[in-house]
Amino acid sequence: MAVTQSLPGSARAERDNRAARVSLYAVIFGAFVAGGGYVPAALFFPLTLTWMAVILLSGVTAIVAGHLARFRAKRHGRRLALAGIVGGWICVLVAVLALAAVVGVVGGLAVLIDS
């Protein structure tokens, strides 16, 4: 089996950065779950926790894969990795804000029940 190596700067070198693609796919999946699953998640509490966990895990996956891709790519493919890192941090931020909202709602309901 012959091993071929692509030239730096070629289109093949851009496509070979698998970690960058994984990072971007994780961000797209997290955005898809965040956008499409909010309304059902707001109506059913266990689904809300699952929704937040999926977004958080996809964000962490995107961050880790993005940093790995930036480490592996010396010059080419770094933009795709950076997009994955930034998108991953946005997914983590959305999950943390949703968790803060859920904790606030549950805490507010607990105060109303106690009074």
Side-chain angles (χ1 to χ4, degrees), residues 84-111:
I85 293 170
V86 170
W89 279 111
I90 291 172
C91 285
V92 169
L93 179 68
V94 166
V96 167
L97 289 176
L99 180 65
V102 167
V103 168
V105 167
V106 170
L109 290 173
V111 168

Side-chain angles (χ1 to χ4, degrees), residues 38-95:
Y38 180 70
V39 173
L43 300 175
F44 188 58
F45 186 68
L47 188 58
T48 303
L49 298 177
T50 306
W51 178 76
M52 286 185 298
V54 167
I55 295 173
L56 184 66
L57 288 176
S58 67
V60 170
T61 302
I63 292 168
V64 170
H67 281 293
L68 183 65
R70 280 183 61 94
F71 176 73
R72 285 185 180 171
K74 298 297 180 195
R75 291 191 175 151
H76 304 287
R78 293 175 65 95
R79 289 181 185 156
L80 191 62
L82 183 63
I85 293 170
V86 170
W89 279 111
I90 291 172
C91 285
V92 169
L93 179 68
V94 166

